[in-house]
Amino acid sequence: MKATVLLTASVLLSCLLLLPLPANGSDYIIDSLETFIYPATGGGLGGSDAWGWEGPDGTKYAIAGMRNGVAFVNATTLTPVEVIPGPSGGCSAYWRDMKTFQHYCYAVSECTGTNQGLMIMDLQFLPDSVHLVKSIPINPLGDVTSHNLSIDTLNGYAYIEGRNQANQSIHVLSLADPENPAWVHSFGDAVGIHDLTAVDDTLYVADGSAPTISIYDMAIKNSPQLISRFTIPSAGYVHNCWPTGDRQHLVTTEETFNKTVKIWDISDLQNVQLVGQFLGNSNVAHNAHCIGDWVYMSHYAAGVEVWDISTPATPTVIARFDTYNGTSGFDGCWGMYPFAGDGYIYASNLDGKFFILQLVDTTQVADSDADGVPDITDNCPGMANPGQEDGDGDGVGDVCDNCVSTPNPTQQDFDQDGIGDACDYPCGDADGSLAVSIADAVFIINYIFGGGPAPSPLSLADADCSGAVSIGDAVYLIAFIFGGGPAPCEGCP
């Protein structure tokens, strides 16, 4: 079943907040390439973690944990591929965690039901489809729920968290046969751990409410050696940890308000030292990932943040991207993936928005109008700006905008009529026939009640200007066609 990208007028309006802005003193911005909406069908949360994979031909794929399964998006062509259904029962949070190894994606969830346990998905058939191989328990006792997993891709082992079970909380599985993971060992306390990060034969563990960080030598898989454990001072809930590229420092997060993201010197594992800390705009962090000396954060209501910790005592923000219309609370960006290369970042919001972003060095892009503003952040690239008005909030000034009335899904204008293709259809033309007829009303009804395809862009079907597509739009079109009612979008702002 193909994933559907659903965009409502209200969602588009919220996206006006997502324009890229350079961080103070930084030459970088995070540019938004595309946003996908996976609604929280059936209630509850919409989005959770994010991961990625690159095919043999270089095509990039983004992977998103969603309310009802795992979604796959072609990040190179910016098109959805498929949603593999996952468990969604018996859980308070629809968190899913995904990791990749070779051409397989592995996913776990705290939920039970459809495909419960460790989901094994084969990616070799992309870009056409993703195949679910099977789901298996995470240990020999038959447990199927887990909050988090990490894969040591160098040696081919998966480490799966099992804190909600009445037995040992870290399970080690060999991926020597990727379609048939084999249990090797379980160890650790029965409660406490929250998150795992495996790098080669070293396992970094965030111990939740303990509140400690534990570091294990996993060279002998059935005989783990605890090589360091240190306590977070005045801690909140110790949420995740990630080493820097040279493994001389470790970044830790606490999922508690006003608890900083902390930077630890771990060059001597018997004498770990706190050497720096910072906190983003929302005052509560979620997950940290490191590439070299840069920390990429999913920072709840602050969205995506990138920090330079090359001087740990004085971290500096590189770039920010606000994914959420709010300033505080446990909302916004829950998961992100910065390892795709070429600056790509995949980020997932709890409300179901999934972002394909790109970190861009603005010193390396053109300034075609020589106005001192790089084209990528310029409201009117290609000509000296007579003004910066941007009525639709799509990052392109109205004076040179192909689609002034709505945020542009595309800047293409194949018929060269000066109107972007996304706005080149008459309002109410839900089926894309270039004319408004009873077929459009039928198209809307089939979309709402029959699982039919969505109008593209969805805003064209908002005939009554309500801000959303509903049965009211079909009634409005019928009144216009047969009853002399007002024209679609008449009176829309």
Side-chain angles (χ1 to χ4, degrees):
M1 179 179 179
K2 294 293 183 181
T4 301
V5 182
L6 302 180
L7 296 174
T8 66
S10 60
V11 168
L12 288 173
L13 287 174
S14 71
C15 291
L16 300 185
L17 300 174
L18 307 184
L19 302 182
L21 294 173
N24 292 336
S26 172
D27 291 323
Y28 290 85
I29 61 99
I30 298 176
D31 187 32
S32 176
L33 303 182
E34 187 61 277
T35 304
F36 299 86
I37 309 299
Y38 293 95
T41 53
L45 304 176
S48 55
D49 204 8
W51 203 249
W53 182 73
E54 184 170 313
D57 62 353
T59 301
K60 300 180 189 296
Y61 297 94
I63 306 170
M66 292 292 115
R67 164 66 175 78
N68 60 342
V70 181
F72 295 84
V73 171
N74 187 322
T76 298
T77 62
L78 301 176
T79 54
V81 179
E82 193 157 5
V83 176
I84 302 297
S88 57
C91 50
S92 59
Y94 299 98
W95 176 260
R96 301 183 197 283
D97 199 57
M98 301 80 58
K99 297 296 186 293
T100 53
F101 176 67
Q102 296 180 4
H103 57 81
Y104 295 93
C105 175
Y106 300 86
V108 293
S109 173
E110 294 182 31
C111 304
T112 57
T114 303
N115 298 325
Q116 65 185 13
L118 178 65
M119 296 174 62
I120 307 167
M121 292 159 281
D122 191 344
L123 311 183
Q124 67 174 314
F125 303 101
L126 287 169
D128 297 322
S129 61
V130 176
H131 292 190
L132 176 68
V133 177
K134 60 184 174 183
S135 292
I136 63 172
I138 64 173
N139 64 14
L141 297 179
D143 290 315
V144 295
T145 61
S146 172
H147 180 77
N148 176 254
L149 84 159
S150 185
I151 295 179
D152 167 14
T153 56
L154 292 176
N155 299 295
Y157 285 88
Y159 298 89
I160 302 179
E161 176 270 353
R163 65 191 166 96
N164 291 329
Q165 294 117 29
N167 51 69
Q168 292 170 318
S169 57
I170 301 174
H171 310 297
V172 186
L173 278 69
S174 169
L175 302 180
D177 180 352
E179 294 192 2
N180 297 286
W183 175 84
V184 176
H185 187 60
S186 295
F187 70 100
D189 299 331
V191 294
I193 77 159
H194 185 79
D195 199 278
L196 309 164
T197 301
V199 181
D200 199 354
D201 283 326
T202 304
L203 184 66
Y204 304 85
V205 181
D207 291 322
S209 57
T212 58
I213 297 292
S214 300
I215 304 175
Y216 292 90
D217 181 345
M218 298 301 304
I220 303 174
K221 299 298 182 286
N222 60 2
S223 183
Q225 300 298 309
L226 179 65
I227 52 178
S228 182
R229 176 172 286 158
F230 58 92
T231 300
I232 309 294
S234 302
Y237 186 80
V238 181
H239 186 263
N240 100 302
C241 54
W242 207 281
T244 54
D246 60 7
R247 296 168 66 178
Q248 297 299 294
H249 292 88
L250 187 73
V251 178
T252 64
T253 65
E254 296 155 63
E255 195 178 18
T256 304
F257 279 107
N258 299 315
K259 297 298 183 180
T260 56
V261 179
K262 294 177 173 61
I263 308 161
W264 305 84
D265 184 338
I266 58 170
S267 57
D268 179 356
L269 287 173
Q270 305 311 312
N271 185 29
V272 175
Q273 297 290 321
L274 178 63
V275 291
Q277 52 193 318
F278 64 89
L279 191 60
N281 287 340
S282 69
N283 295 320
V284 58
H286 197 233
N287 282 329
H289 304 280
C290 298
I291 299 179
D293 290 324
W294 284 14
V295 181
Y296 294 74
M297 299 290 309
S298 51
H299 212 296
Y300 273 113
V304 172
E305 298 198 342
V306 183
W307 289 74
D308 182 352
I309 62 166
S310 54
T311 305
T314 56
T316 57
V317 65
I318 296 297
R320 291 186 168 107
F321 186 89
D322 190 358
T323 65
Y324 177 71
N325 181 16
T327 58
S328 63
F330 292 102
D331 293 295
C333 188
W334 224 15
M336 59 98 72
Y337 177 83
F339 305 108
D342 300 321
Y344 277 73
I345 298 172
Y346 312 142
S348 182
N349 265 22
L350 279 92
D351 59 9
K353 296 186 185 74
F354 186 65
F355 302 87
I356 309 295
L357 309 171
Q358 189 172 31
L359 182 68
V360 178
D361 182 351
T362 60
T363 66
Q364 303 299 312
V365 298
D367 176 19
S368 58
D369 52 10
D371 65 348
V373 181
D375 289 346
I376 197 163
T377 57
D378 199 337
N379 273 0
C380 193
M383 59 180 292
N385 294 351
Q388 289 294 322
E389 294 84 0
D390 181 18
D392 53 8
D394 65 348
V396 181
D398 293 342
V399 71
C400 59
D401 198 340
N402 276 354
C403 185
V404 173
S405 61
T406 63
N408 292 352
T410 176
Q411 287 294 318
Q412 295 170 330
D413 180 20
F414 287 117
D415 55 7
Q416 299 295 307
D417 64 350
I419 301 174
D421 294 336
C423 294
D424 222 359
Y425 299 93
C427 182
D429 181 22
D431 63 1
S433 66
L434 298 179
V436 177
S437 68
I438 188 61
D440 296 298
V442 172
F443 192 98
I444 292 172
I445 293 170
N446 188 45
Y447 161 63
I448 296 170
F449 297 109
S456 181
L458 202 65
S459 56
L460 284 176
D462 184 19
D464 62 2
C465 306
S466 66
V469 175
S470 68
I471 189 61
D473 296 298
V475 173
Y476 193 102
L477 289 177
I478 292 170
F480 165 65
I481 295 166
F482 297 109
C489 299
E490 188 170 287
C492 283

